[in-house]
Amino acid sequence: MIIDDQVYDVIIIGTGAGGGTLARKLAPTGKKILILERGELIYRESSELTGTEVFKKEQYYAPEPWFDKAGEPFYPQTKYGVGGNTKLWYGVLMRMRERDFEAVPHQDGLSPEWALKYADFEPYYTEAEKLYQVHGRSGEDPTEPHHSEAYPCAEVAHEPFLQPLFDTLSKQGLHPAHLPIGLGDQGRTDSEDTGVTPALKSDNVTLKTSANVLWLHTNPSGTEIKAVQAKIGDQTFLFMGHLVVLACGAINSAALLLRSANEKHPKGIANGSDQVGRNLMKQLLSVVVQVTSTANSGMFPRTIGINDFYGGDDNFHYPMGHIQNSGGIFQDVLFSEAPPILSGLSRFFPNFGLRQLATHSIGWWMQTEDLPNSNNRIYYLNDRMRVEYEPNNVEAHDRLVYKWFDVLKSVESAQPSMFNRGATHPRSDMPMSVVAHQCGTCRFGTDPETSVLDLNCRAHEVDNLYVVDSSFFPSNTSVSPALTVMANALRVGEHLIDRLG
């Protein structure tokens, strides 16, 4: 039996960086808002948790399998819950660089131009940084774009044992910078504590958890979404809404549109352009481990970022990417952003136990932009969601990694008391199951033939349907998409407030 629920002014599906931020923005309007979240509340694990059992946890994976190009199942490293994957991150909130909004040549092709520019997002970056209490320092990173206001909070200090490393990098002609980090009284800010929880203080906002949205139903002409069908426990509900906003993540938002195909939208809702689910991007990500002579807690935060090779170098005139310290290995694995790198390190360091490796190492996280490819896509086959993704821009990423190997060797020569000279630097690349930084499956633009959404992130073909997660990106970057998703949700929120009257 399907239960008809009451009618809402706005239905938001998903509570991550986009959905949670939008809920906070719309709550003061007094309009009747429903938030649907597939998962439950997520509680951070105690920072006291230690031991090798940390590395064996699989609670940060989706409960259902996805399928790769060969039809083989895998469990994606993503978590359903209030706050989405912002509950499992380090809170590094970087702005896209001004050049990222332009057409940028890469070795493997062109990163396409955005129809909106950095100046269009800048006020909303500033608003998002205030909302998420970003701690940072301007003036260190030569690639950093213009800020109309200073960071709202002072930068997070480096751990004492990291400060000499930061200084050595500077002396070698690089420009290490303090990473901008969202940080509140209870630790890293996320879209639950910053977005959803404050929104729920308004009587007009309702949150339903464990709500698995199955389909979107349109009116007979296919021009509007009339109902959202969701399963909560053993019951199926129809939620009626005047405006419907998807914020399920780039893969799941596209999947919901494809799954909701009907007579007026035979290829999937809003998919007359055949672009829904295409152009999936998720960056090329690797971790390099540097073993130290001295011990650390294994729990220190990420604070160092390097963008000296963001646009290439003298030997490679194409962008390579962004580097940041990965934080303490225990903490990285605890919050499930890094792969289980320690399990593969024993063959490099047979005299180290896992715990000793965790407390005698510094990880470095490498991020390289991948390019949109229409064949990198998601679709349904025999009621199974398939994710087809072939990495590109691989040489640029390899060059970034090996460039950093050379930098680490120079650092170790300059700091012999901290590092064993000539040490091996194991590299771990992200497998298919790591879908962090996913974007691009419902790109926005001005041409309905080549895009899914207009510049307000409204579907070209469906008047009351919006998407505010990273699906709207026409290109990727080498920085995390999170702050841009938040800024865009605030931008779209202004448009929706005007539309709601």
Side-chain angles (χ1 to χ4, degrees), residues 123-143:
Y124 304 103
Y125 277 135
T126 299
E127 184 180 352
E129 287 168 348
K130 291 177 181 177
L131 194 64
Y132 282 86
Q133 302 176 65
V134 176
H135 292 59
R137 179 195 288 185
S138 297
E140 296 178 310
D141 180 358
T143 73

Side-chain angles (χ1 to χ4, degrees), residues 260-306:
S260 300
N262 60 27
E263 183 179 351
K264 293 297 182 181
H265 298 274
K267 294 187 291 186
I269 288 182
N271 196 27
S273 62
D274 193 32
Q275 293 300 305
V276 172
R278 292 187 181 273
N279 302 299
L280 171 65
M281 297 168 281
K282 67 182 196 75
Q283 290 183 348
L284 301 169
L285 303 170
S286 297
V287 171
V288 169
V289 177
Q290 188 177 25
V291 175
T292 65
S293 302
T294 55
N296 61 69
S297 66
M299 298 297 294
F300 56 91
R302 301 183 184 192
T303 54
I304 302 175
I306 298 97

Side-chain angles (χ1 to χ4, degrees), residues 121-200:
F121 283 86
E122 200 285 330
Y124 304 103
Y125 277 135
T126 299
E127 184 180 352
E129 287 168 348
K130 291 177 181 177
L131 194 64
Y132 282 86
Q133 302 176 65
V134 176
H135 292 59
R137 179 195 288 185
S138 297
E140 296 178 310
D141 180 358
T143 73
E144 185 175 25
H146 163 73
H147 285 232
S148 59
E149 298 182 30
Y151 283 110
C153 307
E155 71 276 6
V156 177
H158 306 305
E159 288 287 307
F161 81 95
L162 284 179
Q163 185 63 52
L165 177 58
F166 183 92
D167 295 339
T168 298
L169 291 171
S170 298
K171 291 175 183 177
Q172 294 190 351
L174 299 177
H175 299 84
H178 288 78
L179 288 170
I181 301 173
L183 194 63
D185 295 337
Q186 303 300 317
R188 297 182 316 281
T189 49
D190 57 53
S191 62
E192 179 201 353
D193 59 36
T194 305
V196 177
T197 299
L200 291 175

